Amino acid sequence: MSNPIDPRPWHQRSVDALLRFALTAIFLICYRSKIYGKRESWPKVGGALVVSNHISYLDVIYVNHISPRKLRFLGYEGFLRVPVLGWFFRAMNVIPVSPAKAKDAIIRASEACAAGSYVTIFPEGQISRSGALLGVQRGFALIAKRSNVPVLPVFLDGLYGSIFSFSGGRFFKKWPRRFPYPVRAVC
């Protein structure tokens, strides 16, 4: 059966749903999450652009957990060439972004928003190396203007210091400070 927002075949959508469920379950086991704000005010019908700061590799999973609807993400195109990450990106229907073809990503994200999808962008363009907000790129404003959808801001806090952040000058090669690790989000 076809879905106007996600035209992929049912088996690809099923793999996507299973991945999101498994990743959210793992996240909830490893992290103690508090969410502040009114997700109920997010539109139930139509598209939206979700804009979030980028602190760790888990941001995608956390923002997906926060959202009342399924999300699509913009992600670095180079990850598509990495065997496991490439499969993961395709399964999750990620919109690839390349510095050389940024306009294509803006067009695809705008079309997805206009078609009724929630699309998430991390406007910093990279994971923070210090935990602070980096300079914001203007692509999210172009997507919002082009698609004429609401912009839903999300602020993630507490993820810096987790093993998936760059704290200590490296990713992954450190022990968690606490378990479950406390994190917060404001939406």
Side-chain angles (χ1 to χ4, degrees), residues 3 24 42 50 56 79 104 132 142 146 150 163 165 169 178:
N3 179 338
T24 299
W42 288 21
V50 179
S56 78
F79 289 148
D104 293 345
L142 296 171
R146 185 179 175 95
I163 63 171
S165 71
R178 292 179 62 188

Side-chain angles (χ1 to χ4, degrees), residues 109-152:
S110 300
E111 289 171 351
C113 286
S117 291
Y118 273 18
V119 175
T120 301
I121 186 169
F122 299 103
E124 297 165 278
Q126 61 182 326
I127 292 176
S128 175
R129 300 293 196 248
S130 66
L133 186 66
L134 301 173
V136 174
Q137 308 298 315
R138 62 185 181 145
F140 85 95
L142 296 171
I143 295 168
K145 184 177 180 180
R146 185 179 175 95
S147 61
N148 196 30
V149 296
V151 175
L152 309 173

Side-chain angles (χ1 to χ4, degrees), residues 10-82:
W10 69 269
H11 62 280
Q12 287 178 343
R13 291 193 314 263
S14 299
V15 168
D16 181 355
L18 184 62
L19 272 173
R20 289 173 194 274
F21 175 78
L23 291 172
T24 299
I26 292 167
F27 181 84
L28 292 174
I29 291 167
C30 297
Y31 292 85
R32 186 68 53 226
S33 170
K34 287 192 179 185
I35 302 169
Y36 302 94
K38 298 190 178 203
R39 291 178 292 173
E40 307 83 42
S41 64
W42 288 21
K44 300 200 180 353
V45 179
L49 183 63
V50 179
V51 179
S52 176
N53 58 325
H54 205 8
I55 302 298
S56 78
Y57 281 111
L58 288 182
D59 297 349
V60 171
I61 298 167
Y62 196 21
V63 174
N64 189 66
H65 166 66
I66 292 167
S67 175
R69 288 178 38 198
K70 180 184 159 206
L71 299 171
R72 290 189 69 188
F73 293 89
L74 277 85
Y76 175 57
E77 183 182 53
F79 289 148
L80 286 168
R81 292 185 288 277
V82 177

